[in-house]
Structure formats: structure tokens, C-alpha cells
Amino acid sequence: MDTYDYIEAIALELKASTDYNFQFKVGEIFKVYSKYKNLTYEMPNTSGGDDKNDGWLVEEKKFFQIYSPQQLRDSLKKDIQSKFSEDLSKLLELIYRDGKWGGDIKEFIFIVNTFDRNLPHDSIRYFETQKDALEQAYNTTFEVQVVNVDYIKDVLEELDLASLRSISSRLRITSIIDYNALSAKLFYQLIDILNEGIQRNYRGMLDTNGMDYKRISSPLKISLNGLDEIGEHIESIILELGVLESIINSIYQDMDYVVKFERIIAYIIELYDDLSQQFEGVELYNEIKGNLIGFSEFNKSFEYPTELLMVYIFDKCEIFEKEEVG
């Protein structure tokens, strides 16, 4: 999949979401976007009231308000106008009268999920008129935009492939393959279950004697990173890394696969760097694995090869803390 495929898949996922799900998914996109742009994105906890701020880019003083109705009504145009005025008016009151959110605003982006429709026309310049009146009331100037998912697509186009993959993983977007035929979907699901069972039953029968693999890390690295609970499991995978290295050596005979393989390695390292800010130990290990196998709708058979690759990078000391070498 290239960048276009990911962007279209993410856009379709957003258009199919309503209420908080839409808001949450847009927030996940801006979390990745802000990291890529070296910005700070904050998404207030809605359980305590969002103060008319569904998320903002702190350094740019850019505020987002997100509106996704349960269904589109004939009154959508009036609904958007009403909610825009209410939310912007309240936000400015909180910013300039109560000093919240840094006490200033440069841009207000009102994102509407119009599903498969365009935004209603604004021939009377309603939003601009409302903005002008509020600017005068608070003696300030700022920009406003009323947009739909097309705006999010423009944001996604600024990201690299690794960032788009990260968003897809966060949103649990599995594939853009269209399984129109129910029989085909059932077939792939069955093959996945069978493959997982074959791996589970035949792993212990692997003959790794002729596959030399030079281990780099020591068992101390497992303890150092709080992985003792799954230590034996990791050790058993390390014993089978000769299988992976043999496959990798064959991959390196084809330059096209070399590029793909190295991009995947880089993505896993970046994923580790990101998740290690929130998790550690066994939980971190499982979060990395869960994010990686989450790319596929049918992923039972992905778990073992995914862990082979994870432990391979672990042993190469590219993820998790290194042990001290005396």
C-alpha cells in the first residue's frame, strides 16, 4: 500500500464514524501529526468538560471543534451554523475572559463529518460574519475554517508513510481490500486459523541445528527491561532466530524486498520509541505486538512471525534498553 491507499482508507474510516468515535479518531490523527511536525497536541478529557476545545495545537494556538451528527438532516446547514456560533462564542469567552488555553487564539477549525456529502454552501458568508463580530467584541483577530474530512485528507498528505501506518494501526484500519464476496472473507479467515494452528503445533519440531545464529544480547537484557514474566518465551524465540536470518539472507538478494524490509524495521523502532513513552516491560512488548498485527483483519497467523521479527530487533539491541557490558 502507498500513501494514497492509507489516506483513502483513513478517510473512509472517519466518514463512517459518528459522535465521540469521530472525535477520538480525529484526535489520534493529530497526535501523530503533531509528533511528525514537532508540535504539541492536547486533547482535553471530555469527562471533565471540554470547554469547547476538542483539541488544539499549542504552539500554533490552533483550536479544533469537531461535530459529527448521528445522521444528516435537512436542517444540517442550520445545525452547523448554530453549533459553530455557540462553540466559538463560548471558546472565546473562556480564552479572553477566563484566561484558559493560554489566553489567545490564532485559528479556529470547525470540522464537520458530512459523511459522503459536501459541506452546505455559505453564500451569505455566515461564518465570516460571525467571526468579524466576535473579533470586534474581544478586540482580537484570528482565522476560521469550516471544513469536512477533505481537510483531514490534506493534513494526512503532509505525513510520511510510517506516520500513516501508525495512524492506521491506532484506528485499527486493517486493509482497503474489498472482500465483497462473503465466501472469500470466510476463506481467508479459515486459512488464517489453520495457519496459526500449524505454526503452534510445528514450532517445536523446527530443526535449527544447521541454522547458525550469533546472539548479541544476554539474558540480562530481559530482566533489565522487566520482561522476566515472558523471559522463557523470548528465549525460545531467540533459539529459532536462525530461521528468520536464513529468510532475511534470501530477501537481501532482491533490492525491492530490501527496501521494504528496512522500512518495516525502521517503523518498528519508531513504534517502540512512541509506545515506550506510555508503557514498559511486558505491557510495552504486548502493545508493540498488538499494534503490528493490528494491520490485518485476520491476524492469528501473524503473531509468531511478528514476534520473530520483534525479538530479532530486540536481540540486535535496536529496541528496549541495552544491558551493561562489563
Side-chain angles (χ1 to χ4, degrees):
M1 290 170 65
D2 59 18
T3 55
Y4 173 82
D5 294 325
Y6 280 103
I7 290 170
E8 289 302 308
I10 294 167
L12 287 172
E13 179 72 15
L14 291 179
K15 290 178 180 179
S17 304
T18 59
D19 293 338
Y20 178 72
N21 284 330
F22 182 75
Q23 179 181 333
F24 170 79
K25 290 170 184 177
V26 170
E28 290 299 301
I29 290 170
F30 278 110
K31 285 177 185 177
V32 176
Y33 174 84
S34 62
K35 180 180 179 182
Y36 182 76
K37 294 288 187 177
N38 292 317
L39 297 170
T40 305
Y41 180 77
E42 293 181 356
M43 188 175 179
N45 188 337
T46 55
S47 63
D50 63 3
D51 286 342
K52 299 305 176 183
N53 177 7
D54 287 337
W56 67 310
L57 291 169
V58 178
E59 293 84 355
E60 295 184 347
K61 299 178 182 178
K62 182 183 293 186
F63 293 78
F64 300 94
Q65 191 65 22
I66 301 168
Y67 177 44
S68 184
Q70 289 280 0
Q71 59 185 12
L72 297 185
R73 304 185 299 178
D74 293 337
S75 61
L76 177 64
K77 183 175 180 178
K78 290 184 178 180
D79 292 343
I80 294 174
Q81 291 176 345
S82 175
K83 181 134 179 65
F84 172 89
S85 297
E86 175 188 345
D87 290 350
L88 180 56
S89 178
K90 182 62 177 177
L91 176 63
L92 292 175
E93 179 182 332
L94 291 166
I95 289 174
Y96 290 111
R97 292 186 181 174
D98 298 348
K100 291 196 172 186
W101 314 118
D104 197 15
I105 180 174
K106 295 299 182 185
E107 191 169 5
F108 178 72
I109 311 292
F110 192 77
I111 304 174
V112 183
N113 187 7
T114 55
F115 303 97
D116 59 348
R117 300 187 193 178
N118 295 323
L119 279 164
H121 66 80
D122 185 27
S123 57
I124 63 172
R125 313 310 297 164
Y126 176 88
F127 305 109
E128 194 70 22
T129 302
Q130 292 291 304
K131 183 199 77 144
D132 291 345
L134 289 167
E135 282 182 336
Q136 187 173 356
Y138 290 97
N139 190 27
T140 187
T141 59
F142 56 93
E143 298 298 319
V144 300
Q145 291 189 65
V146 178
V147 299
N148 60 10
V149 172
D150 288 341
Y151 174 84
I152 303 296
K153 291 174 70 173
D154 290 339
V155 168
L156 295 171
E157 286 177 357
E158 297 182 40
L159 303 178
D160 61 11
L161 197 57
S163 298
L164 293 172
R165 287 195 184 108
S166 177
I167 291 170
S168 297
S169 178
R170 287 167 180 257
L171 302 189
R172 296 292 189 264
I173 297 172
T174 56
S175 174
I176 64 165
I177 298 173
D178 183 16
Y179 296 116
N180 287 319
L182 180 61
S183 58
K185 186 171 183 176
L186 288 174
F187 173 77
Y188 286 120
Q189 186 175 27
L190 176 60
I191 292 300
D192 177 60
I193 293 171
L194 291 175
N195 196 16
E196 186 266 342
I198 291 169
Q199 290 177 4
R200 184 176 62 250
N201 285 287
Y202 286 92
R203 271 188 61 191
M205 300 173 63
L206 281 172
D207 182 7
T208 59
N209 292 328
M211 299 178 180
D212 293 330
Y213 176 77
K214 295 182 179 179
R215 179 173 180 166
I216 295 176
S217 68
S218 73
L220 290 176
K221 183 173 181 179
I222 293 174
S223 297
L224 174 65
N225 287 281
L227 297 169
D228 290 314
E229 183 181 330
I230 57 172
E232 289 186 10
H233 177 66
I234 293 174
E235 291 285 357
S236 70
I237 293 176
I238 289 176
L239 292 176
E240 297 169 351
L241 288 181
V243 176
L244 178 63
E245 196 159 67
S246 175
I247 296 171
I248 291 172
N249 289 336
S250 65
I251 285 175
Y252 270 78
Q253 306 303 312
D254 186 326
M255 285 305 299
D256 183 49
Y257 279 109
V258 170
V259 173
K260 293 177 181 178
F261 177 73
E262 291 183 348
R263 286 173 70 177
I264 290 171
I265 296 295
Y267 173 77
I268 294 174
I269 294 172
E270 183 179 352
L271 181 63
Y272 163 78
D273 290 339
D274 183 26
L275 293 175
S276 62
Q277 304 301 312
Q278 307 172 57
F279 307 100
E280 59 183 20
V282 176
E283 189 177 13
L284 174 57
Y285 182 95
N286 288 333
E287 282 291 328
I288 296 171
K289 181 175 69 174
N291 271 266
L292 292 173
I293 66 175
F295 279 115
S296 174
E297 181 177 1
F298 305 115
N299 52 35
K300 292 180 180 295
S301 56
F302 279 31
E303 186 166 347
Y304 174 58
T306 295
E307 286 198 82
L308 269 180
L309 193 54
M310 281 176 57
V311 173
Y312 178 77
I313 303 172
F314 172 92
D315 186 56
K316 298 296 184 185
C317 298
E318 294 178 327
I319 59 174
F320 288 89
E321 296 297 320
K322 299 179 183 178
E323 68 273 46
E324 292 292 333
V325 178

